[in-house]
Amino acid sequence: MTLSSSKTRFQAFIPLIVVNVSILLGSILWLAGEYSHQTNSAQATLSSLTRATLLSVSQLFSQTQQNLLRDEDQLRRKASADGKIALTATAFIDTSLHQHSTHDGAVIDVGGRDYARALSRMEDGETFAGLPMADPVDSSMWWTVSLRTDAQSGQLGLVAKLSVDQVLKPLESVRIKPDGLIWLARDDGTILATAPWRAELIGQNLESAAPGLMNRGSVERVISTHLNGSTYLAVTAAIPEHPLRLVVATRDDMFLVDWWREAGIMAVLMLVMVATSAVTALRQARLQERLETVNTKLRHEMEKQSAVLESEIRERLGQERLARMLRNALEYSGTMVLITDMDGVIEYANPSFYKATGYHPADIVGQKPAMLRHRELSPPASTLWPTIRDGRTWTGMFCNRRKDGSPLWVSATISPVADSSGLTTHYVAVEEDATSRRVGEEELMQAKQAAEAASLAKSEFLSSMSHELRTPMNAILGFAQLLASAEDGELGERQRFYADSILKSGNHLISLVNDILDMARIEAGRLSLSFEPVTLERILNDIKPMIVPMAERRKVTVVDEISGKTPPVLEADFTRLKQVLINLTSNAIKYNRSGGSVRLSVSHGDSGPVRISVSDTGIGIPEKRKAEVFLPFARLGAEASSVEGTGIGLTISKMLIESMGGQIGFFSQENLGTTFWLEIPRAAQQNQVTTIREAPSPETDSCLCRMTLLYVEDNPSNVELMQEIIDQDPHCHCTLLVATTAEEGLSMARERQPGLVIMDINLPGMNGIEAVAQMKADPELRSIPVIALSADVMPDTIRSGMKAGFVRYLRKPLDIGEFRKILNQLGRVAN
């Protein structure tokens, strides 16, 4: 409607628009013609004045040139008998640029004047018009015209003077009054004379005084230029046979004043016409708008009435269709549906409900849903009625009872139904048979509990096995370390070989136990990782002292391409990443050739993970066995070799790297070597890295350790080992006290106040963690440092012990070197 009305109003304005545009275009064309006529008139006038002025100026300079040529001829012939001749020239200039007057013989130096300097650059017979000069006697203005003569006679040229009357009067006589102007200039653009006279322009260049006059003008062409803030129409032309130009100009408004007046009148008339047309058009528009408003109101009223009738018809038809659709949906739906009133009395149940429960409509309608509940199996639904009475939807699961008494688990969604005023009138329950899902969930829960119990039993078995192995191994490896560390001469070569073999085999067994425990914890999901920003430099500094001696023994060169660089900081568990790199580098050394090399390198982009590569020059991995690389206990044919290994190091490495969010892989060529690579996520903050400085090694020979040690241990072999460790340390003059229970240890600690307590964890009665907790709670014992020495190396136990108050947690079998360092450090503090 609105678009049609706007179109109609626009069509009414079209005749007015056409008439106004036609008159405007006609006026523009007429003004353009008038402008062209006035411009042509200006050109004709200025061209005529230019030609007249050219003629008079040309005659003046031509006559002057002829007179000078005649004087030159007389000078050559010396026609007068007495040697005197009558000259029109006022002076002649010699080759040294001195001017000699032809009247009184006066000689002056004119080397600084333009008409004299120009003679040396001119050819014989050429003339030059100089700038105007003031006479030194009467201050009258005159112009010079110089002629180049033959310099062999000692004369360079002749000079004639032109007066104001000779030069300016011809110009002034033809100038258009009052604002017209005529300029006389040389071909190089230097202005010589102006009419009217303007001394400040003399000597200036035409192009700088009035842009465009130098090259663009001609007698046949009018150009426009700006001078003193006004626009001038000008023509310019060269004076025939002389190096001079003439400019004739006048203000443009002298010719265009009538045109501007006519244009102004035309513009006023156009404005009046447009205003009149606009008023007429507005009146027509208002009238038409009133008519359209009346028509629109009538049309809207009719449309409104029709819309009301159509809406009522559509609403009734829609309600009927919706009712049929909803009923069909309920009737044919595979989901059970119950509808109750506000009191919970069942008014409707669909066929799927009757099919699933075995009831009939007569059994259900008029009853409450509580009759369906299975009293023994159905969980309580205490939040159901408060939720739906609050206008919200309740979702849950309960167990119904079929007509035959069998249970029927259903997943139900119960929602309130409100009328148009927002008041709740009914409740709708949509239920799905969840019996099979419930049975599956119960079976899954039972299987999960069984798996967790099995995993726990496995972990407990491995932990117990680890403890039982580490306890005797502590004595075995401890005494073996003492034997291996004996001074030369105390043991024979064969006995030292026996001790080294015991250490080597025992360490291999402990390594195997550690790997099996790690794999079990990972598989059970009980591996605890401590993520932190980690630098590769820090890891390499830790592992080099372990891998370099191994490489030297096997004659393998380790090439470190990482140290000295600044790769990105990693986000990883420091200990576990270090464990993986030790495993990869030790494998690269063990399975290498004598004289081979191991290369450590790193690569990374501007973002994303950092790749660490360990490459060797060993025998490589056969293509057919590459799929077995990460399988547990797969040694890829190395079982029969002399190289020790368990076959689970790479399996654990893969588990650890993937647990840290990274990836591990390899590529290998048989007989050329293998490269294992790790991709580790980079840390979000690259500049927040805690640098761990190694404590300086204690100077063991600087002082002796003198203090009382209390060892709480129930195993006699371990007690004997500890006594031997202390007795064989030349720097340790400590007294060892022994307690076999935690209770006895606490009593002895209060009585003897030892400098250090070494505590086992698994003790008869009170365990070591409980004992250290009591010591830290006792003011008398709180300051005594306590070290744990235990075969229980489970992470949970270690965390509990450190939290209870242990200063260090040492594992069995005991590393005697590490223990002596700790003992020496604590002894130095005590001393």
Side-chain angles (χ1 to χ4, degrees), residues 378-441:
S378 184
S382 57
T383 60
L384 192 157
W385 281 104
T387 300
I388 61 177
R389 284 174 177 165
D390 193 37
R392 293 176 290 128
T393 298
W394 181 88
T395 301
M397 182 179 288
F398 44 77
C399 185
N400 286 338
R401 186 181 65 252
R402 294 186 178 92
K403 189 172 183 178
D404 60 7
S406 61
L408 173 64
W409 284 95
V410 294
S411 175
T413 299
I414 303 175
S415 303
V417 179
D419 58 15
S420 58
S421 63
L423 296 177
T424 301
T425 60
H426 293 81
Y427 298 111
V428 176
V430 179
E431 301 175 348
E432 292 184 356
D433 188 346
T435 303
S436 58
R437 186 175 73 184
R438 179 73 177 187
V439 172
E441 289 177 353

Side-chain angles (χ1 to χ4, degrees), residues 729-749:
D729 186 355
H731 302 287
C732 180
H733 289 186
C734 297
T735 302
L736 181 65
L737 304 177
V738 178
T740 57
T741 65
E743 292 82 358
E744 183 183 359
L746 291 174
S747 176
M748 293 181 67

Side-chain angles (χ1 to χ4, degrees), residues 456-474 508-521 633 648 762 790-794 812-813:
L456 181 60
K458 176 182 176 182
S459 298
E460 290 177 350
F461 167 75
L462 291 174
S463 175
S464 176
M465 182 189 71
S466 171
H467 183 272
E468 295 304 320
L469 282 173
R470 287 175 181 274
T471 298
M473 287 301 295
N474 183 57
H508 178 68
L509 177 60
I510 292 300
S511 176
L512 176 61
V513 171
N514 290 337
D515 287 345
I516 293 175
L517 286 176
D518 277 344
M519 190 164 64
R521 280 195 292 267
F633 305 105
I648 60 176
N762 294 319
S790 174
D792 189 345
V793 295
M794 300 304 288
K812 294 178 181 178

